[in-house]
Amino acid sequence: MDHLPVFINLRQKPCLVVGGGNIALRKVNLLLKAQAKIKCISPEFCSGLIELSRENTLDLIEKRFESTDIDNQSVIIAATDDDKTNAMVSSLAHESGIPINVVDSPDLSSFIMPSIVDRSPIVIAISSAGKAPVLARIIRAKLETIIPSAYGNLAEIAGEYRHKVKQRFVNLKDRRKFWESVFSGVIAEKVFAGRSEEAKADIEKYLAGSIEMNLGEVYLVGAGPGDPDLLTFKALRLMQQADVVLYDRLVSKGVMELVRRDAELIYVGKKGGSESTRQIDINERLVELAKSGKRVCRLKGGDPFIFGRGGEEIETLSDNGIPFQIVPGITAASGCASYSGIPLTHRDYSQSCRFVTAHLKDGTSNLPWEEFVVEQQTIVFYMALTSVNHICQQLIAHGMREDMPVALIERGTTPEQKVYSTSLSKLPDLINNREIHAPTLMIVGEVVSLRKKLGWFGD
Ligand code: SAH
């Protein structure tokens, strides 16, 4: 290790920044966060610094740096674009034993500034000892994506209860167990969802012994249309902390690979052409697992609330008093449209977009066809594969132009995506002799013709 990582308390301590450009601005911003008393010296200042000094206690001194400027400073940062000045500040600071950082010059610095992930009071510092700052920044960006932004709030709340918890659990092991359950269970999730007051009330109840600590929870997570890169940060986080994952055919392999390795996986889809698991059985299973204290992730293709029966699942959970969270996902219409170059709306062609299921609960597809045959509207049919002929016939019979552009998108957003785009009257023949794989989505409307205009010739 080339440097010892330490966190310095600079609250109300005099700090000097030499330089007035954008780099100095970044350093001043950091020192402001640490509540330092800042003096910034430079013959001129960028507009950002001037702006900042209007709203913050910040001393901008317009002059050249002189040796006496370092007197009584706790920390000095040299951020000028003049090597001579930087070197002078460095040697003066070294002589006086004041910690000095010269931006991008580890050799002139007595300390270096790490890349940071700020979830105050949690702060993560990453350093490459000045050898690969870009790599440190890449690592930082990765951490930013996996650490929920509300971790800071969680730590604040923990701070508030630290003393009480110490009194309640005298034994260190019990205390640790308590905090582990708080940080990776229902309480943490409530804080992340912005429900801090509820979370605090739960902590009070646990401390008073009026509720059980290891309550289970269900996450109803939208897994998107296939490409794992389309998952949300929240979906990924919950997938990686679940004890059990229930999934079906619509959840892609790529997404399943991101589930926590040691989670129990339960398949609740169709098995080799046989009937799907009954919805009521899935609902009951979710309740049963959560009641046994498990964190259960129900992964749903696309968005759980768009033709996903998410509503039915949470009804049962709510009837049974099981805590749950719903995480939206990118629905097939958005995913397939983007990945095939079809804007769902367009100022010149379509002012509204309708999502329709071609498969009704009673097995028919008796739909309000005349409502679909209106100008400037895009219609997206989910679950349409077996009814393509019927849909095309009905739309034409109700007055839609035979040459209305239409696209059938197979396994959208995955590496196997295929797009068949043609006109309403030609689609049935086009797909007649081909083997089309589910899932498929059908988009009807003028916007479909835009994919060629937008230069989409990939398929
Ligand atoms: N909740 C899901 C939809 C479930 S209904 C969502 O929001 O996307 C299942 C239907 O979704 C399929 O029959 C198909 O029409 C559509 N679908 C889901 N994923 C798809 C994909 N990757 N490509 C094409 N269609 C898809």
Side-chain angles (χ1 to χ4, degrees):
M1 197 156 59
D2 289 341
H3 297 81
L4 178 73
V6 287
F7 289 83
I8 323 176
N9 180 355
L10 286 180
R11 197 167 299 154
Q12 292 313 314
K13 298 268 167 57
C15 294
L16 170 67
V17 176
V18 186
N22 282 321
I23 298 175
L25 169 65
R26 256 186 271 149
K27 304 299 169 189
V28 167
N29 260 319
L30 274 174
L31 289 171
L32 276 175
K33 280 193 182 170
Q35 299 163 59
K37 230 167 95 191
I38 309 161
K39 183 166 82 172
C40 191
I41 292 178
S42 170
E44 51 195 316
F45 293 104
C46 66
S47 54
L49 272 167
I50 295 168
E51 194 60 36
L52 205 63
S53 70
R54 291 208 180 102
E55 287 159 19
N56 296 278
T57 336
L58 167 63
D59 222 359
L60 296 187
I61 306 170
E62 216 173 284
K63 64 162 198 132
R64 298 211 150 271
F65 171 78
E66 294 165 273
S67 57
T68 49
D69 291 327
I70 68 161
D71 294 348
N72 303 318
Q73 297 303 311
S74 295
V75 159
I76 301 174
I77 297 178
T80 79
D81 53 7
D82 174 29
D83 290 346
K84 262 201 198 140
T85 308
N86 285 347
M88 175 163 91
V89 179
S90 164
S91 78
L92 286 166
H94 275 100
E95 273 168 30
S96 311
I98 304 171
I100 165 85
N101 174 264
V102 179
V103 174
D104 283 340
S105 304
D107 295 344
L108 294 178
S109 306
S110 63
F111 72 93
I112 53 174
M113 309 266 294
S115 280
I116 58 173
V117 179
D118 185 5
R119 301 284 187 273
S120 289
I122 304 276
V123 177
I124 303 169
I126 305 139
S127 153
S128 64
K131 289 180 182 139
V134 175
L135 186 61
R137 251 171 265 150
I138 291 173
I139 296 171
R140 192 201 101 186
K142 287 200 174 165
L143 290 174
E144 288 279 7
T145 62
I146 57 170
I147 299 172
S149 53
Y151 249 53
N153 299 350
L154 187 61
E156 290 286 1
I157 292 175
E160 277 176 46
Y161 285 93
R162 208 167 152 224
H163 190 61
K164 269 193 184 171
V165 172
K166 219 169 171 176
Q167 282 178 328
R168 168 80 170 72
F169 302 104
V170 187
N171 183 323
L172 182 70
K173 221 168 138 198
D174 292 343
R175 215 150 60 218
R176 188 184 303 151
K177 209 169 137 215
F178 173 84
W179 283 123
E180 274 172 6
S181 328
V182 167
F183 293 142
S184 57
V186 178
I187 294 187
E189 287 306 326
K190 282 190 177 164
V191 175
F192 300 154
R195 288 148 53 199
S196 294
E197 289 312 311
E198 261 181 67
K200 285 191 206 175
D202 281 358
I203 294 183
E204 299 278 0
K205 283 187 212 155
Y206 289 136
L207 289 175
S210 61
I211 50 173
E212 271 289 301
M213 194 65 202
N214 53 353
L215 244 191
E217 187 179 21
V218 175
Y219 317 131
L220 205 57
V221 174
D227 182 351
D229 276 359
L230 294 179
L231 283 170
T232 59
F233 293 155
K234 190 165 183 176
L236 186 61
R237 182 168 59 75
L238 296 180
M239 283 160 64
Q240 294 193 340
Q241 76 173 33
D243 302 307
V244 190
V245 176
L246 281 80
Y247 66 104
D248 52 51
R249 234 175 13 160
L250 219 49
V251 180
S252 73
K253 275 202 194 109
V255 168
M256 286 308 294
E257 272 167 26
L258 296 174
V259 163
R260 195 175 112 194
R261 291 264 172 255
D262 51 355
E264 181 190 349
L265 302 182
I266 302 177
Y267 180 73
V268 291
K270 276 187 190 155
K271 288 184 186 115
S274 68
E275 272 295 288
S276 328
T277 312
R278 288 188 314 157
Q279 187 64 47
I280 187 163
D281 294 336
I282 300 178
N283 301 351
E284 277 168 12
R285 193 83 188 263
L286 292 174
V287 170
E288 195 183 294
L289 286 163
K291 276 194 172 159
S292 70
K294 299 256 163 65
R295 287 169 300 185
V296 188
C297 174
R298 169 69 170 119
L299 268 184
K300 316 273 289 180
D303 182 282
F305 277 2
I306 296 182
F307 309 127
R309 307 183 78 166
E312 296 167 45
E313 290 174 11
I314 56 167
E315 213 176 303
T316 321
L317 297 173
S318 150
D319 287 349
N320 284 273
I322 307 282
F324 60 84
Q325 293 197 58
I326 302 148
V327 183
I330 290 190
T331 190
S334 299
C336 294
S338 297
Y339 279 49
S340 56
I342 301 170
L344 289 176
T345 66
H346 188 288
R347 281 206 300 181
D348 298 334
Y349 301 95
S350 170
Q351 277 78 52
S352 68
C353 175
R354 207 164 157 154
F355 294 174
V356 180
T357 167
H359 188 83
L360 299 186
K361 206 170 175 180
D362 61 7
T364 68
S365 52
N366 202 1
L367 295 163
W369 300 105
E370 56 289 340
E371 289 177 23
F372 302 154
V373 189
V374 287
E375 294 289 308
Q376 309 261 324
Q377 176 175 250
T378 308
I379 316 163
V380 181
F381 289 97
Y382 284 70
M383 294 170 267
L385 187 54
T386 52
S387 358
V388 168
N389 288 0
H390 182 65
I391 293 171
C392 294
Q393 270 167 17
Q394 288 297 320
L395 290 175
I396 292 170
H398 286 80
M400 193 174 273
R401 296 179 5 223
E402 290 199 2
D403 61 352
M404 177 62 85
V406 45
L408 192 75
I409 299 141
E410 173 185 328
R411 302 200 270 200
T413 81
T414 71
E416 293 83 34
Q417 168 172 304
K418 277 208 181 104
V419 182
Y420 302 92
S421 73
T422 177
S423 67
L424 204 53
S425 60
K426 291 190 182 138
L427 183 64
D429 282 344
L430 180 70
I431 61 166
N432 197 14
N433 291 319
R434 291 177 206 252
E435 194 189 344
I436 309 274
H437 299 93
T440 52
L441 191 85
M442 185 172 164
I443 304 181
V444 182
E446 299 288 355
V447 286
V448 173
S449 62
L450 288 169
R451 60 194 307 267
K452 289 276 180 276
K453 219 172 166 179
L454 296 173
W456 221 269
F457 301 109
D459 37 65

